[in-house]
Amino acid sequence: SLNEVGERLVNQLERISRENKQDEAVLVGSHSVAIKAAILRVFDLKGRYYGKLEQGNAALTILRYEGGEFVLDTMNDTSHLE
């Protein structure tokens, strides 16, 4: 289910964040479905909001892990494609 996909990705993002230094940037690639599912999970949004999230091909979404929580810095940034 969408919830399970989000849960798996968030669990892995938390693990990756714990394994790296706080001031290090880590690039994680994924598909739009998984990214949107993770956003829903992180912010405790219902699945009905899935269609309201935009995540284009090759778009950047930046989640910062700080103090045990995720902060959404950027979503669906495609400026590098212009």
Side-chain angles (χ1 to χ4, degrees):
S1 74
L2 193 60
N3 189 47
E4 292 170 329
V5 170
E7 182 177 4
R8 284 196 305 268
L9 182 52
V10 169
N11 287 343
Q12 290 305 309
L13 292 174
E14 288 173 338
R15 181 188 59 78
I16 291 166
S17 296
R18 285 190 308 269
E19 291 175 356
N20 290 279
K21 295 179 183 172
Q22 186 172 358
D23 60 344
E24 287 183 327
V26 177
L27 174 67
V28 176
S30 191
H31 298 275
S32 65
V33 171
I35 293 169
K36 288 166 56 170
I39 298 293
L40 292 175
R41 180 82 177 172
V42 163
F43 297 106
D44 197 26
L45 299 171
K46 304 291 182 200
R48 68 176 181 259
Y49 292 106
Y50 177 84
K52 297 183 184 293
L53 298 175
E54 294 289 331
Q55 183 65 30
N57 292 334
L60 298 175
T61 293
I62 300 173
L63 278 171
R64 181 171 30 95
Y65 194 68
E66 187 173 277
E69 294 183 338
F70 287 102
V71 176
L72 182 61
D73 282 338
T74 304
M75 185 163 184
N76 197 37
D77 178 4
T78 57
S79 62
H80 60 284
L81 301 176
E82 298 172 1

